[in-house]
Amino acid sequence: MPQDTDTAPRYEADPDTGHRLGRAEARNVRAARELEDHLGWLDTFTGTALGVLAVASGIYTYLGVSSLLDDNGAMSVFAAIAYSTAVSVGIFVFWSYLMRLFPSVRTAAARTGLFAAMGLGSLAIVAMSSWLNAAALAGSAAVEQHLAETVQDYQSSLERAHEVALSAQALERDVARVRQSFEDLSEQEAQGSLSGLAGRGAVFRVLRQKSDELATLESQIAAQTPLVESAFDEGNQILSRMRSLTVEPGPVEARSVEFSEAAVRLQGIITQLRQLSVAPLVQRAAQDLSESVVLPELDASTDAARDSQSATIGSVLQVLAQRAATLDQAAAQVIAMQPPAEIDYTPLSAADAVIVYARNFVPSWAGAIAIDLLPAVLVFIVAITRSAIRQGREGSGVEDTMTLAELRAALHAMREMEGAMAQIPQDASPRAAPPPPPVRDAAE
């Protein structure tokens, strides 16, 4: 019975050696050979590509280092160039080593060790280069971000100080109400409605004494109002200038210097607003209102009238204590208000600002890291390709994987060896010249 041609094993004979390969083995060998050709072509410019990436990273590293150096002299320039050159050479050498070694190792232990070395080297590259690259890409924008957030903090502090000062100024109405109540009582006493003795006697003088004290306090509070408004207006003007400095064109370093000066002035305005608060003054006046009373001599002509004056003065003192407690409570509420936050502006360099505000510049950080760590992707690509080549050649002999050019070179070398052996004089000893090996064995 004839054999089924669809299920029978198929073989391909090697044209040079005659060795018969299975159809799948031959296909794998051809695929491995094709991948080798691709890698050979890619190797012609891989080193150049690594060099370009390393030089580009070195340039941005130089810009980042320059932003950290205070001195612009020749020595600082030389130091920045030396550092950036070292970074470029280190990146090129590091990835060149891994590009050659990582795809070639076969054991899991060796790959794990090289992978750990790659991770450690990548962290070193990020530490010595990538953050400086990010500073060169987004350093100025990060400093401007720092200025803008500082302006917002100062604005909140200024508005809070103004709010507390206005709340203290509002105590003027409470003082005026208490003063008016004592003046009304004094008018009633003058008409004889309180003690029954019309005129300006002892009770009248006590009431007038306290109403005059409150009138003096009221005038002091009113005198603070223009000062509070003037300080707040000046603070807003400084804030306006600080906002403009965050967006003005030009080097951010020069703007940061002027911003620092404006921040110092604004902090002084905020401190002034805190000192202009009259709440402590009102609280002290409220405590003195009932405690420091100068009692006049009772001036009634009869004992009964003097007893009436004394009783009325006692009632006035009780009213004083109540009004004083009300004023003290109102002043205490103002004093208990949360004070404005203490803002201390700290200038940041471009490299420091890009770290502090890294969350706002993720694309710049991604680009700065990618330019340094992109060769890692190439390392994995080459490693995967090398592994595929080894799998394609698995189970094949050397004679199966040799190309026609390699076989011709081997045959040519054997012929040269045979010619050289033929020119050697034959010795009588049987050990003088061993016979040349067959051509097929040499090819193998």
Side-chain angles (χ1 to χ4, degrees):
M1 179 181 293
Q3 188 178 7
D4 189 355
T5 57
D6 294 332
T7 60
R10 298 181 179 181
Y11 298 93
E12 292 185 0
D14 189 290
D16 299 305
T17 63
H19 183 70
R20 302 182 71 192
L21 296 174
R23 180 70 59 87
E25 292 178 350
R27 188 184 307 113
N28 291 338
V29 169
R30 286 196 299 269
R33 190 170 297 161
E34 182 179 357
L35 290 176
E36 281 187 330
D37 293 339
H38 291 322
L39 286 181
W41 180 76
L42 293 173
D43 283 341
T44 58
F45 61 85
T46 299
T48 304
L50 288 178
V52 171
L53 289 174
V55 170
S57 178
I59 292 174
Y60 282 102
T61 301
Y62 170 80
L63 296 177
V65 172
S66 299
S67 66
L68 292 176
L69 300 177
D70 297 331
D71 187 15
N72 295 323
M75 194 62 185
S76 297
V77 174
F78 176 76
I81 293 176
Y83 185 87
S84 59
T85 302
V87 167
S88 297
V89 173
I91 291 175
F92 179 80
V93 172
F94 175 75
W95 291 120
S96 297
Y97 271 55
L98 288 175
M99 193 75 70
R100 292 292 181 181
L101 299 179
F102 191 86
S104 299
V105 297
R106 299 189 180 188
T107 63
R111 285 186 176 249
T112 302
L114 285 179
F115 187 78
M118 181 188 299
L120 184 60
S122 298
L123 291 177
I125 289 175
V126 171
M128 71 181 182
S129 174
S130 297
W131 73 290
L132 294 173
N133 296 346
L137 290 172
S140 298
V143 174
E144 291 178 351
Q145 178 73 23
H146 178 58
L147 299 182
E149 292 200 4
T150 303
V151 168
Q152 293 178 358
D153 294 339
Y154 273 115
Q155 181 176 358
S156 300
S157 181
L158 178 65
E159 291 177 351
R160 184 60 181 173
H162 184 237
E163 180 182 358
V164 173
L166 289 182
S167 299
Q169 292 301 119
L171 295 174
E172 180 183 357
R173 293 191 295 270
D174 296 327
V175 174
R177 184 171 59 253
V178 176
R179 174 190 57 79
Q180 187 63 44
S181 66
F182 284 121
E183 288 183 354
D184 294 340
L185 289 175
S186 65
E187 293 297 330
Q188 294 177 14
E189 174 62 18
Q191 297 174 4
S193 301
L194 295 181
S195 63
L197 301 174
R200 300 175 179 270
V203 177
F204 179 86
R205 291 196 297 274
V206 170
L207 292 172
R208 279 297 182 179
Q209 173 189 344
K210 294 304 171 184
S211 65
D212 292 341
E213 291 179 3
L214 292 173
T216 302
L217 178 61
E218 185 180 357
S219 62
Q220 291 177 350
I221 297 175
Q224 297 287 86
T225 301
L227 299 178
V228 171
E229 296 302 325
S230 175
F232 184 63
D233 292 340
E234 185 179 356
N236 282 325
Q237 293 176 2
I238 297 175
L239 272 176
S240 178
R241 178 54 185 163
M242 293 171 70
R243 291 192 193 95
S244 64
L245 288 173
T246 62
V247 296
E248 279 186 357
V252 71
E253 292 81 5
R255 287 182 282 151
S256 297
V257 174
E258 186 176 353
F259 188 92
S260 300
E261 298 173 353
V264 172
R265 295 199 308 271
L266 183 57
Q267 187 61 46
I269 296 298
I270 295 174
T271 303
Q272 181 181 354
L273 281 174
R274 296 181 62 180
Q275 294 174 350
L276 288 175
S277 175
V278 296
L281 177 64
V282 174
Q283 189 177 47
R284 290 193 299 270
Q287 295 172 357
D288 294 340
L289 190 63
S290 59
E291 295 176 358
S292 59
V293 179
V294 178
L295 296 177
E297 183 180 355
L298 301 179
D299 53 1
S301 58
T302 63
D303 292 338
R306 285 192 291 272
D307 291 340
S308 177
Q309 284 182 328
S310 178
T312 304
I313 291 176
S315 300
V316 169
L317 294 178
Q318 292 180 0
V319 173
L320 278 175
Q322 294 175 0
R323 297 292 190 272
T326 301
L327 282 179
D328 182 74
Q329 182 179 3
Q333 291 177 355
V334 175
I335 295 175
M337 293 178 65
Q338 182 180 359
E342 292 286 345
I343 308 298
D344 292 329
Y345 169 65
T346 303
L348 293 179
S349 64
D352 293 333
V354 81
I355 294 177
V356 174
Y357 300 97
R359 65 184 182 278
N360 298 325
F361 300 96
V362 174
S364 298
W365 269 99
I369 295 176
I371 197 174
D372 289 334
L373 302 187
L374 178 61
V377 181
L378 303 181
V379 171
F380 289 124
I381 291 175
V382 176
I384 294 171
T385 306
R386 290 291 184 189
S387 178
I389 292 173
R390 285 193 289 266
Q391 291 179 0
R393 288 181 170 181
E394 187 176 357
S396 302
V398 177
E399 69 278 7
D400 299 327
T401 59
M402 290 181 68
T403 63
L404 183 58
E406 292 173 346
L407 185 59
R408 287 176 179 174
L411 290 173
H412 181 70
M414 290 302 302
R415 292 191 185 99
E416 289 183 350
M417 291 177 63
E418 290 177 353
M421 294 294 296
Q423 295 178 1
I424 298 177
Q426 296 293 329
D427 193 356
S429 174
R431 298 171 58 186
V439 174
R440 182 176 178 179
D441 293 338
E444 295 176 358

